Amino acid sequence: MDATEKGAVFRPLKRKALIYISKSVLFVYMISSFPNINLICLKKNFPDFYFVSSTTKVLTEFSDLKKELSRDDFSFVVPDFRLNKEFEKLVQLDEKSKAKVEFLCNECCSPKCQERKICYENVSRKNLGLECSDHHCAAPDGDKGYRFSSAMKSPLFIGIEDIQNKYLKMGFSNFKIEGRGLGSAMVLEFLLYYLVRPEYQIVVRAEIYLDGMLDLF
């Protein structure tokens, strides 16, 4: 399947440095809640990694996004999803900056959420094994958890047609799918939607469901 034809360019995840330290695997959360991370030291010790300015920074101001894009430290920058449809400003970015932007396509969080940064910090601390209380989302329908159907209704959702007919034509080619920790069945639906032509989705889904070696639920 040609990823570009589907409107997305996906890179191998094995080189990504946006992860956390856990046993024998090095992952680094590049977020403001952990300012002591020495990026120069990380680059020196892990020269084969590339670094991504994470959506966990919650860059909601376009001026902050431009500043982050100007930093040579990062190969890619993920703006907050609330900047997804700022087309008048996005189109004015130079080609170098456009090549670094990575859009979060399928966010389910409410655009009016005021606690997104706090939520990310809480999740990051848990991933790092730090003691902290649970964060309880106070946003509308926050108690329902993630639902792809809800994400698709958001005015900030980036679908296949958006990618093909808008973003690619504007010069953007990097897109991020949220939800790798939501379970195999949910991840499968994301991949079917973004990477498989509609007429083949039922075929691929059936083949995977019939494979007894896969743990989907």
Side-chain angles (χ1 to χ4, degrees), residues 107 147-157:
E107 177 56 61
R147 297 189 180 186
F148 194 27
S149 57
S150 297
M152 296 177 78
K153 295 177 183 178
S154 170
L156 302 175
F157 176 76

Side-chain angles (χ1 to χ4, degrees), residues 60 62 65 79-91 101 103-106 111 151-163 166-167 170 172 175 194:
T60 58
F62 202 84
L65 171 62
D80 188 82
F81 74 108
R82 283 166 282 203
L83 294 181
N84 282 358
K85 301 299 177 74
E86 293 289 336
F87 296 126
E88 292 185 2
K89 296 178 181 178
L90 288 168
V91 74
V101 176
F103 292 100
L104 180 59
C105 296
N106 60 327
M152 296 177 78
K153 295 177 183 178
S154 170
L156 302 175
F157 176 76
I158 298 178
I160 289 298
E161 291 186 0
D162 297 316
I163 294 172
K166 192 73 175 182
Y167 290 89
M170 291 173 61
F172 297 101
F175 304 92
Y194 283 106

Side-chain angles (χ1 to χ4, degrees), residues 63-216:
S63 57
D64 292 335
L65 171 62
K66 291 182 68 175
K67 289 179 183 177
E68 199 77 353
L69 288 169
S70 69
R71 296 179 61 182
D72 293 330
D73 297 323
F74 302 113
S75 298
F76 300 95
V77 176
V78 186
D80 188 82
F81 74 108
R82 283 166 282 203
L83 294 181
N84 282 358
K85 301 299 177 74
E86 293 289 336
F87 296 126
E88 292 185 2
K89 296 178 181 178
L90 288 168
V91 74
Q92 295 179 22
L93 293 173
D94 58 43
E95 295 306 309
K96 181 180 178 181
S97 295
K98 288 181 179 180
K100 292 178 68 173
V101 176
E102 184 176 74
F103 292 100
L104 180 59
C105 296
N106 60 327
E107 177 56 61
C108 187
C109 186
S110 168
K112 298 180 180 180
C113 178
Q114 300 297 314
E115 299 181 344
R116 187 169 175 79
K117 192 175 185 65
I118 297 174
C119 178
Y120 272 134
E121 290 177 356
N122 182 265
V123 172
S124 297
R125 287 190 168 88
K126 287 182 179 296
N127 284 335
L128 287 167
L130 303 178
E131 292 291 334
C132 59
S133 58
D134 292 334
H135 172 73
H136 298 285
C137 181
D141 297 327
D143 58 330
K144 295 182 179 180
Y146 185 94
R147 297 189 180 186
F148 194 27
S149 57
S150 297
M152 296 177 78
K153 295 177 183 178
S154 170
L156 302 175
F157 176 76
I158 298 178
I160 289 298
E161 291 186 0
D162 297 316
I163 294 172
Q164 293 177 323
N165 300 327
K166 192 73 175 182
Y167 290 89
L168 286 178
K169 292 181 178 179
M170 291 173 61
F172 297 101
S173 58
N174 303 299
F175 304 92
K176 176 182 176 66
I177 301 175
E178 180 186 69
R180 60 184 175 271
L182 294 174
S184 299
M186 184 72 78
V187 173
L188 172 61
E189 292 305 316
F190 297 154
L191 297 179
L192 288 172
Y193 175 78
Y194 283 106
L195 296 179
V196 181
R197 293 183 179 183
E199 63 267 31
Y200 294 113
Q201 289 179 10
I202 187 64
V203 178
V204 175
R205 186 184 289 109
E207 289 295 326
I208 292 176
Y209 281 178
L210 291 172
D211 188 334
M213 295 178 64
L214 297 177
D215 180 16
L216 288 174

